[in-house]
Structure formats: C-alpha cells, structure tokens
Amino acid sequence: MGSRWGFLIRFLGAVWLLGLGHCEQQTPETAAQRCFCQVSGYLDDCTCDVETIDKFNNYRLFPRLQRLLESDYFRYYKVNLKRPCPFWNDISQCGRRDCAVKPCQFDEVPDGIKSASYKYSEEANNLSEECEQAEQLGAVDESLSEETQKAVLQWTKHDDSSDNFCEADDIQSPDAEYVDLLLNPERYTGYKGPDAWKIWNVIYEENCFKPQTIKRPLNPLASSQGKSKENTFYSWLEGLCVEKRAFYRLISGLHASINVHLSARYLLQDTWLEKKWGHNITEFQQRFDGILTEGEGPRRLKNLYFLYLIELKALSKVVPFFERPDFQLFTGNKVQDAENKMLLLEVLHEIKSFPLHFDENSFFAGDKKEANKLKEEFRLHFRNISRIMDCVGCFKCRLWGKLQTQGLGTALKILFSEKLIANMPESGPSFEFHLTRQEIVSLFNAFGRISTSVKELENFRNLLQNIH
C-alpha cells in the first residue's frame, strides 16, 4: 500500500515542478498573447510541449472520444440532485430556466442500463436479473449461489472502502434519477454572484491546504491591484510541499475547465424566436486575460493542461481493466454494445500511444508513513469537495459539478491502484479493483469535458487573434 501511494504522491509533486512555458512580455501585446503566451512551448523538466498536447487532443483523440460519449452507455448518468447541503442551510436555488435539469422518463433509458446500473461485466449483468428483487444495493438474496453472494458482498464492501475519493450518490435512492447528458449540456446558466462564488471560495479556503492567514477575494474576478507579492493569493503556494501544490493545481484546473465551457457555450441571444449559444470572447478574457486577471488567468490555463495530463495518465493505466474479455458496455443491444466496446478500446489505445506520457518509474516512493498520511489527506480533502457539490444552487451546475468531481476522484483512485490493476485476474470478478458503471460514466465524461476545454482553447485563440 505505502509504496503505491508514495509513488503517486511523488509523481504528482514532481509534475507540479513543470511550467507550461514562459514568454517575455511584448509591447503591445495582442489579446491572444495576453491569454496564451504563457501556455505555449515546451514544459520544463520534460520533453512535452503544449503544441503536442493540442495536436494530439484536437485532431486524434477528441473526435473519437466525442463519438463514444454520444453512445447510450455514456450519455445516461444517474444522479441525486435533491441531496441537502451538508455544510450550510441558506442555499438560494436558481430560478432561471437554464438552471433546470430535465430527468429521463423511465421508458427513455435502455433496459440494460436500468437493470445493470451497478455492474458492467457480462457475468455481473447476467446476475443482475437475479439481484433485481433485492431492496438495496448491498442486500443479498438468499436464493443466490454462494459464489454470487460473495461477489455482491465483496463489491459492496469495496465500494465503501478507503480507496474511494468521492462520496458518491446512493443510486438506489428514490430521489436518484437518470439524466441524458446530451439533452442537459454544460453551458452558461446565469448562475453567478455571491452564491456561486461561495462554493469555490469554500473549496479553495478550506480544502486546498491553504494557510488560514491568506484570504482569497470572494469574487474570483476581483482585482488584487496594489497588493504586494507576499499578500497575493498565489504567494502561499510557495510555502507548501510539492504534493499539496499539485492538489491545488488539480482543483484549479477543474475550475478553469468549467469556466472555458461556460465561455464557449454562452447565451448570446435570448428572444421569443430563438436562443443563440456561442463563444463569448469578453467572458473568456475576464477569466483568463493576463492583464485583466493580473497574471492569474494564464496560471489557470496552465493548471487545466496539468489536469488533462493527470487524467490522461489515469486512463492509460486502466486499459487492462477494460481489455478483459468479460467486460462490456452493457445496454441490452448486443450489436451496439460490441461496437462501442471496440470504440472504447480504440480511444484507450490512442491515449496509451501518446508519445509524451510522464515516466512515473523515475519517481521513488518516500517514507511509507508519510506517504500514507499524504494519501489520506488527499482523499479526505477531495471527498469533502465532492460533498460541497450538493451545495450548488443551480441544478445543472450541480449535475456537472458532481459528475466532474466524481470523474476526477475516479482518476485518482486508478492512479493509486496501479498494483491492484496489474494483479487483476484475466477473467471473472475482480474483488481488489473494480469500477462501477457510475465511475466509468463519470470518468470518461469528465475527461471529455477537459478534452473539450483544450479544443475550445484553440477556438478562442483563433477568435482572439483578430482582436487588437
């Protein structure tokens, strides 16, 4: 246990030392340079450069990944949007129509997904009909075979284990509903102001290992002009160990990715005739322009690339799990399920072929006790962040926040489970390492959001080049 946690913690820490390039200030700068000049060129301490990532994602991976996410298996996500906020009671629910989420009617969800939302393999899906009468996920039908009872209990026990980084929804709850992600896309909803800022403020203030003496402005777009370097928000990072700085970069990268989505799918026109969604250049500049954000915007984009590389690495590590012959993307349509598994493996093999993956073998595990302590801190902080998503007042924002935090949590679970994945049996149930359907759907959709962000950065570069 200790060695695998130690390796990844050192791996994340070493990646923090990367910079995504630095450009000398040019006068005058174009709008594109002010947002992107520091996110180009080679990464420090490795052979990877941003242009290689852009080319790989935008022209090789993105089209296939989007086609996979449009399939039935990945488009339906079960979520409980009615869970109460565990931290405060004064939640102002967004009353805007664009904040609403339209759940699926029961007959709209493929039968195979409804009957097998817990497990994924052919064996487990065959057993699902026998288990369907159980009142809850962990219940064991006495009529089941001894081997089946053991499998259900092992899976349930593992789902409650300390390897999980998220507090997942109880998908058996009457309040949990299927949502078609394609019909409820992540985009600008108008949810903003103190209620929205409060969510990210709590995440940064209380869950990113930040000293209490350093305060972040409630409004993330607020200016810090006139403050000394010692009082700026980022100065505290220099005093943290590299592992804790890496944790911050993951959260910042997720925040940046979400902001890119909202800027790229902004409500530009709303009339009784039509709604027009598109790229809002002004909104993008407010969040990422180097001058308007006093240097913070380009840091956010750097952290987005950092997050991309971490999740890319996790997907490359979990390939053996999906290559097992008894794994399938079960929806009930055998022909479509077989085609989608082939597409899934194509995507994963494409990811594995990325030429500039980090060589984690060059990082050595630290002290076992220290590594386990840091791992537990990572897990508890991230679980807390997953719980904060139930405090988001906009239901569509809550949906995508919950999905993307669960996806990142699943990626961390994979990276910390390298040896368990390597020791999986070639067939049959894997008791030491498994992924539920919820984890699989959130993992790929969350990475799909980050991949979309990288693709959208190319679009914004092109749009900003025409602004002087």
Side-chain angles (χ1 to χ4, degrees):
M1 283 285 291
S3 61
R4 91 168 178 269
W5 297 125
F7 130 66
L8 183 58
I9 287 169
R10 294 298 172 191
F11 163 59
L12 286 174
V15 175
W16 159 257
L17 296 176
L18 298 175
L20 282 119
H22 176 75
C23 68
E24 296 181 0
Q25 187 171 355
Q26 301 177 33
T27 304
E29 290 179 310
T30 66
Q33 287 172 330
R34 283 164 48 175
C35 288
F36 293 107
C37 72
Q38 295 184 42
V39 284
S40 63
Y42 281 92
L43 306 178
D44 295 339
D45 300 327
C46 75
T47 58
C48 186
D49 61 274
V50 171
E51 288 76 14
T52 298
I53 297 172
D54 287 339
K55 183 178 179 180
F56 172 79
N57 177 78
N58 298 347
Y59 302 103
R60 291 175 56 183
L61 184 59
F62 179 81
R64 291 181 183 177
L65 180 59
Q66 293 305 305
R67 186 153 54 95
L68 179 69
L69 297 180
E70 290 171 359
S71 67
D72 283 351
Y73 186 90
F74 288 101
R75 69 186 291 180
Y76 294 106
Y77 180 65
K78 198 169 189 181
V79 63
N80 182 358
L81 297 176
K82 299 178 182 178
R83 286 178 53 162
C85 172
F87 301 108
W88 58 84
N89 296 321
D90 57 332
I91 300 179
S92 299
Q93 300 291 354
C94 177
R96 297 174 63 92
R97 56 182 176 177
D98 292 323
C99 285
V101 171
K102 182 182 179 181
C104 298
Q105 298 298 317
F106 188 77
D107 59 356
E108 293 176 334
V109 182
D111 291 336
I113 292 178
K114 289 183 292 190
S115 65
S117 60
Y118 176 40
K119 291 302 153 198
Y120 40 77
S121 69
E122 182 176 3
E123 175 184 0
N125 288 317
N126 289 336
L127 295 175
S128 65
E129 294 182 4
E130 302 175 63
C131 299
E132 198 170 4
Q133 301 303 317
E135 292 184 357
Q136 58 184 10
L137 187 62
V140 178
D141 188 338
E142 293 181 356
S143 66
L144 301 180
S145 67
E146 182 178 349
E147 181 181 1
T148 302
Q149 291 185 38
K150 180 181 177 182
V152 173
L153 288 173
Q154 287 273 20
W155 280 326
T156 305
K157 180 180 178 182
H158 193 282
D159 285 341
D160 294 331
S161 74
S162 61
D163 285 338
N164 290 330
F165 282 73
C166 287
E167 185 173 300
D169 287 341
D170 176 10
I171 61 173
Q172 300 303 312
S173 168
D175 290 330
E177 299 177 289
Y178 283 100
V179 173
D180 186 336
L181 298 175
L182 298 184
L183 297 181
N184 295 273
E186 183 182 26
R187 59 191 180 191
Y188 179 80
T189 65
Y191 178 63
K192 58 184 178 180
D195 291 328
W197 300 332
K198 183 177 181 179
I199 299 295
W200 287 110
N201 227 45
V202 171
I203 290 174
Y204 286 117
E205 291 286 339
E206 301 181 15
N207 294 282
C208 283
F209 304 99
K210 190 184 70 60
Q212 294 299 314
T213 55
I214 304 295
K215 294 297 181 182
R216 181 185 181 89
L218 178 62
N219 181 350
L221 303 181
S223 172
S224 59
Q225 189 172 5
K227 295 183 179 181
S228 65
K229 183 177 184 294
E230 288 71 26
N231 292 327
T232 59
F233 175 68
Y234 278 98
S235 63
W236 61 272
L237 285 172
E238 298 176 4
L240 294 182
C241 66
V242 290
E243 294 86 358
K244 293 179 179 180
R245 292 201 298 262
F247 183 92
Y248 167 79
R249 293 193 75 186
L250 292 176
I251 303 304
S252 175
L254 177 60
H255 192 184
S257 180
I258 292 172
N259 281 333
V260 171
H261 305 154
L262 304 187
S263 301
R265 301 194 70 169
Y266 200 92
L267 183 57
L268 302 177
Q269 179 180 323
D270 187 6
T271 67
W272 67 277
L273 286 175
E274 67 171 344
K275 281 190 173 185
K276 182 180 179 182
W277 304 86
H279 296 82
N280 188 321
I281 299 176
T282 301
E283 187 73 18
F284 182 85
Q285 288 178 293
Q286 286 182 335
R287 298 176 186 275
F288 299 110
D289 184 283
I291 294 178
L292 296 179
T293 63
E294 298 187 347
E296 186 172 340
R299 289 176 182 263
R300 296 168 181 165
L301 295 182
K302 293 178 185 180
N303 294 335
L304 191 158
Y305 276 96
F306 173 81
L307 175 64
Y308 180 91
L309 291 172
I310 291 299
E311 294 209 10
L312 193 76
K313 187 65 174 182
L315 288 168
S316 73
K317 287 293 183 183
V318 81
V319 172
F321 174 82
F322 293 105
E323 286 181 326
R324 299 164 76 234
D326 58 344
F327 174 84
Q328 62 173 315
L329 301 175
F330 187 76
T331 66
N333 185 327
K334 290 186 176 180
V335 174
Q336 188 179 74
D337 291 345
E339 292 176 352
N340 286 333
K341 181 175 180 180
M342 290 179 59
L343 178 57
L344 171 69
L345 293 179
E346 285 181 17
V347 169
L348 288 172
H349 290 152
E350 189 71 64
I351 289 172
K352 201 169 183 179
S353 73
F354 181 65
L356 301 175
H357 274 300
F358 292 112
D359 180 13
E360 72 281 2
N361 293 322
S362 63
F363 301 103
F364 297 95
D367 176 75
K368 181 178 180 180
K369 184 177 180 180
E370 177 187 357
N372 283 334
K373 180 182 177 181
L374 280 171
K375 172 262 177 178
E376 184 63 9
E377 286 187 90
F378 265 58
R379 192 182 70 84
L380 291 178
H381 278 259
F382 200 85
R383 281 181 72 92
N384 212 38
I385 290 173
S386 72
R387 297 176 69 203
I388 293 174
M389 292 301 111
D390 285 317
C391 302
V392 177
C394 167
F395 285 115
K396 185 167 290 182
C397 305
R398 183 182 299 192
L399 163 67
W400 285 100
K402 288 166 75 76
L403 181 145
Q404 290 176 83
T405 52
Q406 185 179 24
L408 177 53
T410 303
L412 292 173
K413 170 182 173 178
I414 292 168
L415 289 171
F416 280 113
S417 302
E418 182 179 21
K419 289 186 178 179
L420 297 181
I421 295 173
N423 294 330
M424 284 188 309
E426 294 184 1
S427 61
S430 172
F431 297 139
E432 294 300 320
F433 177 84
H434 81 275
L435 297 175
T436 66
R437 181 183 177 276
Q438 288 291 104
E439 289 175 313
I440 295 170
V441 172
S442 65
L443 173 68
F444 281 89
N445 273 284
F447 182 69
R449 296 280 73 210
I450 304 166
S451 175
T452 299
S453 293
V454 173
K455 175 66 174 176
E456 289 293 356
L457 290 184
E458 179 182 59
N459 295 330
F460 276 112
R461 278 192 187 96
N462 294 334
L463 291 170
L464 287 168
Q465 283 176 352
N466 297 321
I467 298 178
H468 297 282

